[in-house]
Amino acid sequence: MANLKEIRNRISSVSSTMQITSAMKMVSAAKLKKAQDAITAMRPYADKLTELLQNLSASLEGDSGSVYADNRLVKKVLVVSITSNRGLCGAFNTNILKQSVHLAENVHQGKDVDFVAVGKKANDYLGKRYNVIANYSGVYDDLNFDNVADIAEHLMGLFTKGAYDRIEIVYNKFKNAATQIIMTEQFLPIVPLEIEGNVSADYTFEPSKVEIIEQLIPKSLKTQLYKGIRDSFASEHGARMTAMHKATDNATELRDQLKLTYNKARQAAITNEILEIVGGAEALNN
């Protein structure tokens, strides 16, 4: 059994850790509320934009000829891996990195696969194993639509120039503080839009429907990437809050166990001292 001083030091260490994890939990909870409100407010807009694009596309006859819908033979693939800049958030980053590696080594086996890292954790891990052509970890310093739109424009330029035949996004979709869903979405070429049933065409369009779609597609792509990064940002704080909550609970349980061990050891030491005093007194009497 460890001596009393060692147990006291461990209790002090665990208590300090518990205070840190508890503080980090409260900070993440405050940030989560803001991030959750942002993604919740954005989803209806993104869904409505997609719905509008679907209705217009369904009323067109044949292919609109968009450069973003060019389905080429897939030889080179670009995977956009969205993680966080910091750790201490459970399996949040690990799940994304595993999915990214799975895409490179299994789904797209035999093809040239490069990566774009959105988040320091993705850049640190993937940069040692694969070719990371760009790192956008700084986007979290000022997360807004304009900054993400610059990233989307870069990706769109790579596709239209023929540098890559397919671009995919891997991110955590926010469901609640304890649940994140790993998403793999095809960014480019755009997924063919399908509408069930008849679509009303009793509208007058100015400019033409083709011109409207050509303007909506870049806007939709930028919104898709922004939604993915916003989802990941909210998921990060939810995952960190949950991880720190569990860490605080574990530290509390460990501290209680150490206190119990300390009390038992202290009681045993006192008992031994009493026995030694009694034994010494009896020896003097004899």
Side-chain angles (χ1 to χ4, degrees), residues 21 48 68 75 80 92 112-113 125 127 187 195 220 225 227:
T21 56
K48 194 64 179 178
Y68 303 115
K75 294 181 180 179
V80 182
F92 172 82
D112 292 333
V113 180
Y125 182 84
F187 185 69
I195 294 294
S220 177
L225 182 61
K227 183 171 72 70

Side-chain angles (χ1 to χ4, degrees), residues 32-229:
L32 172 62
K33 181 62 170 64
K34 184 178 180 180
Q36 183 177 353
D37 290 344
I39 188 59
T40 302
M42 181 187 176
R43 279 177 180 165
Y45 170 78
D47 293 342
K48 194 64 179 178
L49 181 61
T50 301
E51 179 186 345
L52 178 60
L53 191 61
Q54 287 176 335
N55 288 331
L56 287 172
S57 299
S59 63
L60 286 176
E61 295 181 359
D63 187 8
S64 66
S66 172
V67 293
Y68 303 115
D70 185 12
N71 281 286
R72 306 185 287 259
L73 178 64
V74 180
K75 294 181 180 179
K76 295 201 67 175
V77 180
L78 183 64
V79 178
V80 182
S81 184
I82 302 175
T83 62
S84 66
N85 286 340
R86 299 184 300 151
L88 297 177
C89 46
F92 172 82
N93 291 313
T94 303
N95 290 336
I96 294 299
L97 296 175
K98 284 183 178 179
Q99 178 64 12
S100 300
V101 172
H102 173 71
L103 290 174
E105 298 184 355
N106 295 284
V107 178
H108 300 303
Q109 186 178 14
K111 301 179 179 68
D112 292 333
V113 180
D114 293 336
F115 288 90
V116 166
V118 180
K120 187 175 182 295
K121 293 299 180 180
N123 185 62
D124 291 346
Y125 182 84
L126 298 173
K128 298 177 182 178
R129 297 163 176 80
Y130 304 96
N131 181 31
V132 176
I133 66 169
N135 174 27
Y136 293 104
S137 301
V139 71
Y140 294 116
D141 296 337
D142 185 15
L143 184 55
N144 56 59
F145 182 81
D146 291 337
N147 290 338
V148 176
D150 292 339
I151 302 175
E153 287 177 357
H154 179 216
L155 298 176
M156 292 153 62
L158 291 173
F159 179 80
T160 55
K161 292 176 183 176
Y164 296 95
D165 304 310
R166 177 176 294 177
I167 301 178
E168 296 181 342
I169 306 172
V170 183
Y171 67 96
N172 278 296
K173 180 179 180 180
F174 178 80
K175 184 177 181 181
N176 53 54
T179 306
Q180 299 83 38
I181 303 172
I182 302 174
M183 300 293 293
T184 301
E185 293 181 356
Q186 182 172 314
F187 185 69
L188 287 168
I190 58 174
V191 179
L193 303 171
E194 299 179 358
I195 294 294
E196 296 181 358
N198 297 325
V199 178
S200 175
D202 297 329
Y203 298 97
T204 300
F205 295 95
E206 180 64 34
S208 68
K209 287 182 283 188
V210 173
E211 291 180 81
I212 293 175
I213 287 178
E214 289 299 324
Q215 295 180 20
L216 278 181
I217 287 177
K219 183 74 170 179
S220 177
L221 290 171
K222 294 173 184 178
T223 303
Q224 179 185 356
L225 182 61
Y226 184 55
K227 183 171 72 70
I229 295 178

